[in-house]
Amino acid sequence: MFASENPESQHVSCTQAALGVSDAGVRFWHGLLWLVQLRQCRSGAAMYTLAPDAIYARRSRHAYGVQTTTFFKKGHREELRFTEPTTNKILCSKVFSPLVKLDELVEHDQVKVEDYVAVKKHQASVDFNLYACSNNSDRYTDADAMKKVGSVRLYIADPSKVTDPDAFKFTVSFRLGGSELTVTAVDKQTGEEVQTSVIFVAE
């Protein structure tokens, strides 16, 4: 009989020989031990680290979203109102666009896709700033409960082509539910892509 190069394998073999336990029996006890370990984990994050496939969905401990600039509407904060000089449109800055709400149940590897447009003519780049919030009520990213957790910048290959900002579109996908929130932004005109990841806190 050849000795195993793995000392742990030798130990298991000796134990099996002494107790008369089959390979199937060893696998059963290993599986039972693994189940006990999972039950002892009170934190969903700890369980996800041990066995990500065992977690189907988790509840978000924060609201997550993107800072946007939108058309100024009644009810928006007056001090955030401005006129974009290249289009003469009246806009509102620092508007929080939520992707996930506090306590929302998020499936493993859930993907949300959103479309955005440019803000001004001949825009050279677009920033997607990610924020986490401890409540579901704040609407602006300068609120005390807001925290910037990440940012991704997509450069526009030919800014001279941004003649109609409303027609110059970007698609952004947000992959949620794992240990990270992954953001991928795509210029729909060229296919240019950038990506970033931030820690996704859930239970």
Side-chain angles (χ1 to χ4, degrees):
M1 181 176 68
F2 291 98
S4 169
E5 295 180 356
N6 186 342
E8 293 183 1
S9 297
Q10 292 184 42
H11 178 72
V12 171
S13 298
C14 291
T15 303
Q16 287 179 248
L19 298 178
V21 181
S22 66
D23 289 340
V26 171
R27 287 195 296 271
F28 168 79
W29 288 110
H30 284 179
L32 182 60
L33 177 60
W34 179 248
L35 180 61
V36 171
Q37 288 175 335
L38 286 180
R39 286 182 174 177
Q40 288 175 343
C41 294
R42 297 181 179 179
S43 167
M47 288 181 67
Y48 188 87
T49 302
L50 285 172
D53 293 338
I55 306 299
Y56 176 73
R58 296 192 295 162
R59 200 169 296 279
S60 179
R61 293 171 60 186
H62 299 290
Y64 289 91
V66 180
Q67 176 177 279
T68 62
T69 297
T70 67
F71 289 108
F72 187 87
K73 298 179 180 179
K74 183 179 180 180
H76 279 155
R77 282 168 44 190
E78 189 64 33
E79 66 270 24
L80 298 178
R81 172 176 175 166
F82 72 99
T83 300
E84 169 49 49
T86 65
T87 61
N88 290 322
K89 292 178 179 179
I90 300 175
L91 305 175
C92 183
S93 64
K94 299 183 180 180
V95 177
F96 181 64
S97 177
L99 299 165
V100 178
K101 293 183 178 181
L102 172 68
D103 288 331
E104 180 178 341
L105 197 62
V106 180
E107 296 179 5
H108 173 61
D109 273 348
Q110 180 176 338
V111 177
K112 294 189 176 184
V113 179
E114 301 285 345
D115 286 329
Y116 299 90
V117 297
V119 173
K120 57 186 178 181
K121 291 181 179 180
H122 306 147
Q123 189 167 330
S125 64
V126 58
D127 292 334
F128 297 95
N129 295 314
L130 308 173
Y131 283 80
C133 186
S134 57
N135 62 63
N136 287 325
S137 57
D138 282 330
R139 299 173 57 196
Y140 304 96
T141 57
D142 59 357
D144 291 339
M146 290 282 179
K147 180 181 179 181
K148 186 176 180 180
V149 294
S151 180
V152 58
R153 173 171 292 177
L154 180 63
Y155 289 97
I156 297 173
D158 188 356
S160 66
K161 292 184 178 180
V162 189
T163 55
D164 181 2
D166 290 338
F168 206 90
K169 297 182 179 181
F170 309 91
T171 295
V172 184
S173 62
F174 305 87
R175 184 176 295 276
L176 308 143
S179 59
E180 294 180 330
L181 189 163
T182 302
V183 183
T184 305
V186 180
D187 182 336
K188 295 185 72 171
Q189 289 66 223
T190 64
E192 186 72 21
E193 178 181 304
V194 290
Q195 186 178 89
T196 190
S197 295
V198 299
I199 295 175
F200 177 66
V201 181
E203 25 177 64

